[in-house]
Structures are given as structure tokens and as C-alpha cells.
């Protein structure tokens, strides 16, 4: 009997663990509220085999914006801070690359002046700091920056300013058979450096804005090089276009926080059968930032006005989240 | 005891089935040869945990061209036959769309005249027949065509002119933990109609040439529309660019048959660690077609000249495959 008892013990342990897992709250950083209930009810409905809203796992596609939805985006998109830092470093070696007032301001870290130039100025700085380099070398530079750079207000590493409740939501969805994608206006190559570790999302499930790339022999080695010029802007109507092109299916769940996400969420909601939009409303000036209709970054008007009519969950960060950043309590 | 015996019988059956599966040949339509051995040895090496060539499942990326690699491509790419058929049908309703001699020839099914115009003529016909329609409506038209159209020489439905040995290879790779992708010069939306059923490859693992698409409200419904103009040609250097952009990893195995696949296979082979190129050489005039260096479709020069030096397996269709088409013995 001594050889059988350990096996029984293992069986009991596994069974206890299984029921513990099943009853544990998959979203511990979400305050109990109508918001949380609506999300859990949707997921339960589409994953319960005898539900009329059941969706087969292959069609459980969930897409999420990144900046302002999965991590913070103030005072400006974090990739842009990287771009300014990198431009300053490149200019140390060759100051002649700072050919315009915008680039000169950016290299000085003068964000205010750069932002006065609007989105075109942002693109100019990104272009100047992100091209003429292999994808591998670029991503190594991003990794180095993430290791050392700190956010000016929180003093956290940028990749610890991911939202803990959203990291939980992504994991919960995958545990329930969803495929989770990022669909962001941010740069594809930039996001791929941290998204797998931060969110559990692998490179092939990251969609973003991308520059031109070329295929070249560099010292006899076939290499993909980041070239000047933006090839595709993954924002507004570009988001559903990119999803259709890359995934080939209309998502059943879409999360976003700004009007740049509106088309993606609207297209998701317009599909047949159960659909859910999850709109993150930045309402927490104490723990994060509070902004919406008037913000130059993350402007949100259409989602607030039209989202509720499409059944979207509006997440009130101050009310609905017990914790904000993954990197701090 | 009567309640225990059936359980024992089931256990014995499952066990027998298990060992039968393990010892069965995963590539029954591949003749025993050095070619087959080389493929199986590569797969065994990268999937055996204590092998020095072991590759983690997440990095077991295999990419395959479609036309001439996974299905036939003579006398012309099958999508082009669809394009001519569709153009003829559209012209019945509105003959004024045939604005050029190329389009007039195409609508008459005069392939010889169209081919004299080279690749530009092909693109002109595809453009005229593939745009101004929602993705869903376009794909319904492709599905209808596949149901009824028959190849002029084999009389088979086009989607039964897939290569049985390659369907087996795709399944074998997936069973061994690979992710299998199509990376084709053919149209993304065209391939997605049949690739899941024909090859077991879902929409998000199909990369191809794509037209511009627009996001529009059509009668108040958010819709993605195929617009005029090619946005991206997934051929030659475009293939590694598209793989890097969409998958974000360098494959460890690449299969192709023409010089359009050379860059993708070269880039694959240039990666560190174990890599395999599988080049399909069309040598079988009796059961399929024989063509390479001089063919206007599927021209193959670089792969034959430089592939062996990179360790590629050159598949001799006449010698290495006991069966060609999935749809016929």
C-alpha cells in the first residue's frame, strides 16, 4: 500500500489546486463593480459551450491598443521619449543630423517645443532616430533604453508602467481560449522588445505602425534594415484595415482609450453575434492622469459620446481599478 | 469484474493506437530517399530536447510559398484564371470596363495575349477584377468560383491540385510543434478562402500580396473594402520583409520553388543554428509539369545554382513523390 498512497496524495493535491484555480478571482485588481461584471459576463457567455452566445476558440480574437490602454502615455508616448533620447545620443556623434528646429529641440529634450509641431513633428523625430539600422540593432537599443530610462514623474522603468488590471485581463482572456493581440499606433519594432515579457503577447500577435524596411546584404549577411519613411500608420481607420489584413477575422472584443481606437472598436462592435468594446477612461489624476476631450495625447471624444450606444464598457480608472501600475502598488 | 473489463479493453486499444501512430510514416507520399531523410533528420534534430540543434516550439517557424510549392501554377497562377473569369463576368454587366487591349484579351480568356504583357498585364487584370468590393463579397465570389471552375488540363477543382506530399509535410511539422505559414506572391484574400481547409493553415498565418483596402461606412455598416492599387507585393525581397513585419522572427524552415522565393529562403538559411531550405523542382512532365530556368511562370535559376551551397534539399518531384495531387492518385 505504501506505493499507492503517494499517488493518491498527488491526485488529491491536484484536485484541490484545480478547484482553487477555478474559484480564484482572475481579475483581482478590478474592483467589484458593474464594469467588472460586464466583462466577466461577456467572457462567460462566449466560452460556455451551451450558451447561445458561444464562440469557438479560433474566433475568440481580442485586440487592444497599447498607449493609454495597456500602459501609460503621459506626458507623451513613451516611444517618443525614447526617440528624443536616441536622437540626442546620435547627435553627440554627428550634430549635423539635427537639420531642423524640431530635431534640435527634440535632441535638447524640449518636449514643449516639439509638441507645438503636432503629429508631423513627432513623426519627424521618430523618422530621424529609428532608421538606417538593422531591426536587431534597433531592438537592442530599445532594450538598453528600457533598462536604464526612468519616467520623469513616477521614476519607474517605462515597462513597469503597464496597467496591472489590463495584464490580468489579457491573461484571463488567454486562459479562456482567446487570442490576444496588440493593435497600436506605436511602433511595431519598439513594442516587440517588451510586449512578450510585459503582457505575454508574442511578436506575431503585435500589430503597430511600421517604417519602410529593406532587404539587403550587409557585409554579405542578408539583413532587414529599417529605412526612412513610414510605410503604414496603424491608427484610426488603419486599425481595422491592419486587423483585417493581418489577422483576417473581425475581433469579438476590442479595448482602447482614445479616438484613434474608435474605428477598431466600432468595427468590432458591428460584427454579428456577441461583441464587447472596453474603453479605458483616464479619470485618476491622483494615481495616474485624468484626461479625455481636450488632451493633445489620447484625445477621447467619440468613444465617450457613441461608445455606450454600442454597448461598450467604460472603465473608470479611479473607480474600477484597485491598483494601477504593474511596477508599483 | 464485468465493469472493469471494458475499461481494460479501452486501455489496451488506446495503447496500441498510440504506438501505431508513433511508428507510422508521417510522410507516406514521399518516396524513401535522401530527400525525405534530410527533412526528417532536420525535424528530429530541432525537436529532440537533448539535441544540440534543439529549437524551442515558439521558434519553430516554417514558411512556404504557395503557387508551385503547395499547389500547381501552370499554365498560369490559378488566381489569374479566377481574375480572367471574373473579369468576363463583370464585363457581361458592363462592357465599358474593358478599357485596354489587355483587359479585352483577358475577358475573352486569351491567355497568350495577356502573358505577352508580362507581370504588368497580370497586375492590370487582377486590379480590374479584384477591387470595389467588400472583402466578404470578394471571398464569397472566390468560393463560388472554386466550387465550379475546373482546371483545363486535369479537369480537377483547383483546390484539389494541392500537392499531397506538401499537405503531409505541413501536418507533420505542426504535429512536431511547428507553426506553419504561407508566404506567397498570391493574393492574401484569395488564399484565405481555401487555405484552412486545404492546408490546415488559418487566416492569421497566411501572408500574401495585398491590395489597398479602405475602411468605410456602407449603408451605415462599417466595412473593409478592396480598393484599386496594390499596397504590397509579397515576392522576392518582399517576402523576408513581410515575414519580419508580420511574424517578427526568422523562420528555421522555408519552402519554395521559384526565384521569387530565393530571398525568403536565403534569409532563413542565414540565421544562426539549424535551418533548412526545401526547394521544389518541377521535374515531372508526365504527372505534373517540368519547368525551371526558362519558364515564364515559376522561373527557377538562383535556387538551383546557389541552394545546394546553403544546404537546401532539392525535391525532385518525379523521383521523390509517389503521389502528386491531393485530389487524384
Amino acid at each position: 500500500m505504501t506505493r499507492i498512497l503517494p499517488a493518491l496524495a498527488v491526485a488529491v493535491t491536484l484536485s484541490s489546486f484545480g478547484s482553487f484555480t477555478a474559484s480564484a478571482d482572475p481579475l483581482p485588481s478590478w474592483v467589484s463593480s458593474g464594469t467588472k461584471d460586464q466583462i466577466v459576463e461577456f467572457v462567460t457567455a462566449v466560452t460556455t459551450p451551451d450558451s447561445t452566445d458561444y464562440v469557438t476558440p479560433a474566433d475568440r480574437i481580442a485586440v487592444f491598443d497599447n498607449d493609454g490602454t495597456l500602459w501609460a502615455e503621459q506626458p507623451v508616448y513613451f516611444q517618443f521619449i525614447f526617440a528624443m533620447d536616441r536622437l540626442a545620443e546620435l547627435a553627440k556623434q554627428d550634430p549635423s543630423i539635427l537639420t531642423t528646429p524640431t530635431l534640435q529641440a527634440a535632441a535638447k529634450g524640449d518636449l514643449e517645443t516639439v509638441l507645438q509641431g503636432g503629429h508631423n513633428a513627432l513623426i519627424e523625430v521618430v523618422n530621424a532616430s529609428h532608421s538606417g539600422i538593422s531591426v536587431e540593432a534597433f531592438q537592442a537599443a530599445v532594450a538598453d533604453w528600457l533598462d536604464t530610462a526612468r519616467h520623469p514623474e513616477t521614476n519607474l522603468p517605462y515597462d513597469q508602467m503597464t496597467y496591472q488590471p489590463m495584464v490580468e485581463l489579457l491573461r484571463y482572456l488567454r486562459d479562456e481560449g482567446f487570442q490576444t493581440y496588440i493593435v497600436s499606433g506605436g511602433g511595431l519594432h519598439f513594442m516587440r522588445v517588451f510586449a512578450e515579457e510585459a503582457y505575454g503577447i508574442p511578436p506575431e500577435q503585435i500589430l503597430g505602425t511600421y517604417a519602410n524596411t529593406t532587404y539587403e546584404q550587409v557585409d554579405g549577411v542578408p539583413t532587414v534594415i529599417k529605412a526612412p519613411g513610414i510605410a503604414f500608420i496603424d491608427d484610426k481607420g488603419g486599425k481595422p484595415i491592419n486587423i483585417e489584413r493581418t489577422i483576417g477575422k473581425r475581433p469579438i472584443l476590442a479595448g482602447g482609450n482614445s479616438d484613434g481606437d474608435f474605428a477598431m472598436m466600432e468595427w468590432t462592435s458591428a460584427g454579428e453575434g456577441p461583441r464587447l468594446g472596453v474603453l479605458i477612461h483616464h479619470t485618476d489624476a491622483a494615481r495616474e492622469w485624468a484626461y479625455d476631450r481636450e488632451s493633445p495625447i489620447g484625445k477621447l471624444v467619440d468613444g465617450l459620446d457613441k461608445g455606450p450606444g454600442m454597448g461598450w464598457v467604460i472603465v473608470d480608472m479611479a473607480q474600477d481599478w484597485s491598483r494601477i501600475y504593474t511596477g508599483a502598488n
Side-chain angles (χ1 to χ4, degrees), chain A residues 82-142:
Chain A
F82 163 75
M84 289 201 302
D85 287 353
R86 182 167 162 79
L87 191 65
E89 209 173 288
L90 293 173
K92 269 189 221 161
Q93 296 155 39
D94 179 7
S96 75
I97 64 170
L98 304 177
T99 51
T100 69
T102 294
L103 295 179
Q104 288 154 18
K108 275 187 244 159
D110 177 0
L111 183 56
E112 203 178 329
T113 300
V114 177
L115 285 181
Q116 283 165 8
H119 269 250
N120 287 345
L122 297 187
I123 288 174
E124 186 182 343
V125 175
V126 169
N127 243 329
S129 57
H130 283 50
S131 62
I133 184 172
S134 74
V135 171
E136 287 87 348
F138 174 80
Q139 293 187 318
V142 174

Side-chain angles (χ1 to χ4, degrees), chain A residues 157-214:
Chain A
Y158 290 97
D159 56 357
Q160 292 187 24
M161 290 179 69
T162 52
Y163 300 135
Q164 176 64 22
M166 296 305 283
V167 172
E168 293 168 6
L169 177 56
L170 290 167
R171 192 183 303 135
Y172 170 48
L173 290 171
R174 287 192 297 267
D175 285 348
E176 296 293 334
F178 280 74
Q179 293 177 61
T180 56
Y181 284 84
I182 292 175
V183 182
S184 168
L188 178 64
H189 293 131
F190 181 81
M191 291 187 287
R192 281 183 176 157
V193 176
F194 62 90
E196 185 145 20
E197 194 174 328
Y199 308 129
I201 298 183
E204 69 270 22
Q205 293 183 335
I206 301 172
L207 284 62
T209 293
Y210 50 85
N212 294 317
T213 41
T214 56

Side-chain angles (χ1 to χ4, degrees), chain A residues 1-19:
Chain A
M1 286 301 284
T2 50
R3 304 191 61 142
I4 288 173
L5 278 173
L8 275 173
V10 167
V12 168
T13 306
L14 283 174
S15 164
S16 309
F17 182 74
S19 71

Side-chain angles (χ1 to χ4, degrees), chain A residues 207-223:
Chain A
L207 284 62
T209 293
Y210 50 85
N212 294 317
T213 41
T214 56
Y215 179 68
E216 296 175 28
Q217 306 290 329
V218 178
D219 300 329
V221 179
T223 306

Side-chain angles (χ1 to χ4, degrees), chain A residues 23-328:
Chain A
S23 65
D25 182 355
L27 300 173
S29 301
W30 292 72
V31 173
S32 288
S33 70
T35 304
K36 180 174 180 170
D37 291 347
Q38 205 175 335
I39 292 171
V40 172
E41 281 162 17
F42 175 82
V43 173
T44 304
V46 299
T47 57
T48 301
D50 55 0
S51 156
T52 52
D53 285 338
Y54 179 75
V55 174
T56 189
D59 291 329
R60 290 181 205 157
I61 308 289
V63 292
F64 291 89
D65 169 57
N66 184 44
D67 296 308
T69 299
L70 299 182
W71 75 354
E73 61 179 351
Q74 297 290 357
V76 71
Y77 308 119
F78 296 170
Q79 184 178 358
F80 191 72
I81 301 174
F82 163 75
M84 289 201 302
D85 287 353
R86 182 167 162 79
L87 191 65
E89 209 173 288
L90 293 173
K92 269 189 221 161
Q93 296 155 39
D94 179 7
S96 75
I97 64 170
L98 304 177
T99 51
T100 69
T102 294
L103 295 179
Q104 288 154 18
K108 275 187 244 159
D110 177 0
L111 183 56
E112 203 178 329
T113 300
V114 177
L115 285 181
Q116 283 165 8
H119 269 250
N120 287 345
L122 297 187
I123 288 174
E124 186 182 343
V125 175
V126 169
N127 243 329
S129 57
H130 283 50
S131 62
I133 184 172
S134 74
V135 171
E136 287 87 348
F138 174 80
Q139 293 187 318
V142 174
D144 283 348
W145 180 81
L146 284 171
D147 279 347
T148 54
R150 297 292 178 269
H151 189 277
E153 297 187 35
T154 66
N155 204 36
L156 285 170
Y158 290 97
D159 56 357
Q160 292 187 24
M161 290 179 69
T162 52
Y163 300 135
Q164 176 64 22
M166 296 305 283
V167 172
E168 293 168 6
L169 177 56
L170 290 167
R171 192 183 303 135
Y172 170 48
L173 290 171
R174 287 192 297 267
D175 285 348
E176 296 293 334
F178 280 74
Q179 293 177 61
T180 56
Y181 284 84
I182 292 175
V183 182
S184 168
L188 178 64
H189 293 131
F190 181 81
M191 291 187 287
R192 281 183 176 157
V193 176
F194 62 90
E196 185 145 20
E197 194 174 328
Y199 308 129
I201 298 183
E204 69 270 22
Q205 293 183 335
I206 301 172
L207 284 62
T209 293
Y210 50 85
N212 294 317
T213 41
T214 56
Y215 179 68
E216 296 175 28
Q217 306 290 329
V218 178
D219 300 329
V221 179
T223 306
V224 177
I225 300 284
K226 287 174 74 70
I230 305 282
F232 185 80
I233 296 182
D234 192 37
D235 196 33
K236 300 192 171 73
K239 291 198 177 198
I241 285 172
N242 203 9
I243 294 168
E244 196 289 316
R245 189 175 280 168
T246 310
I247 309 176
K249 290 175 182 172
R250 196 188 297 238
I252 65 166
L253 189 157
N257 77 298
S258 81
D259 284 352
D261 306 317
F262 185 80
M264 166 174 85
M265 296 176 67
E266 172 193 57
W267 185 60
T268 297
S269 292
E272 285 177 23
R275 309 275 161 162
L276 188 66
V278 177
L279 187 69
I280 309 301
H281 190 192
H282 291 265
T283 52
D284 195 330
R287 296 183 301 171
E288 207 242 4
W289 286 270
Y291 58 97
D292 47 36
R293 294 174 187 271
E294 306 296 332
S295 177
I297 301 289
K299 183 176 176 179
L300 175 62
V301 177
D302 285 349
L304 290 175
D305 291 344
K306 301 175 192 167
M310 290 184 273
W312 297 0
V313 184
I314 315 292
V315 178
D316 181 330
M317 283 177 72
Q319 298 292 326
D320 292 325
W321 288 359
S322 62
R323 178 175 166 185
I324 304 287
Y325 298 126
T326 304

